[in-house]
Amino acid sequence: MSHLCPVCNGFDTLQEECPRCQQPLIDGGRLYDYYGDYSPYREIDDSKLDNGYADFIHHQCLHVCWCPGCSAEQTVIVQEWNAFEQQKKQDV
């Protein structure tokens, strides 16, 4: 796997606002973890192949978020980092 989610791996925090009330959304984790009892243990790229989104092709991680103010739920797309490119930047 050459791409990784900066939010899932703790390199960045998800900072999105609710489209209804503009309060900060709470990150509920990866969408793939909500598919079933064993979904958190499934390979991430495998989960992306049959979920109906183009996240595998575009190297995106989908996060389920909710608003503490108005209880709205939203799926937020996080752009994954290319692990090899990030390593090159650190080496320089």
Side-chain angles (χ1 to χ4, degrees):
M1 179 171 64
S2 62
H3 289 82
L4 55 90
C5 175
V7 175
C8 290
N9 287 281
F11 298 118
D12 203 358
T13 57
L14 192 123
Q15 298 178 357
E16 292 287 325
E17 290 184 351
C18 176
R20 288 188 193 167
C21 67
Q22 285 67 49
Q23 287 201 28
L25 292 173
I26 305 294
D27 183 9
R30 298 179 316 164
L31 173 67
Y32 327 113
D33 292 347
Y34 290 88
Y35 288 168
D37 293 340
Y38 297 102
S39 59
Y41 307 104
R42 194 171 166 195
E43 289 290 328
I44 294 170
D45 285 345
D46 183 42
S47 299
K48 291 179 177 184
L49 293 175
D50 60 3
N51 66 6
Y53 295 94
D55 51 336
F56 180 77
I57 296 168
H58 299 294
H59 305 292
Q60 298 168 331
C61 188
L62 307 176
H63 283 249
V64 175
C65 297
W66 61 277
C67 178
C70 68
S71 300
E73 291 184 18
Q74 182 174 340
T75 301
V76 175
I77 297 171
V78 177
Q79 189 61 47
E80 294 178 337
W81 291 352
N82 182 321
F84 298 118
E85 290 298 319
Q86 292 299 321
Q87 183 64 39
K88 286 180 189 178
K89 288 178 185 178
Q90 290 177 349
D91 291 342
V92 173

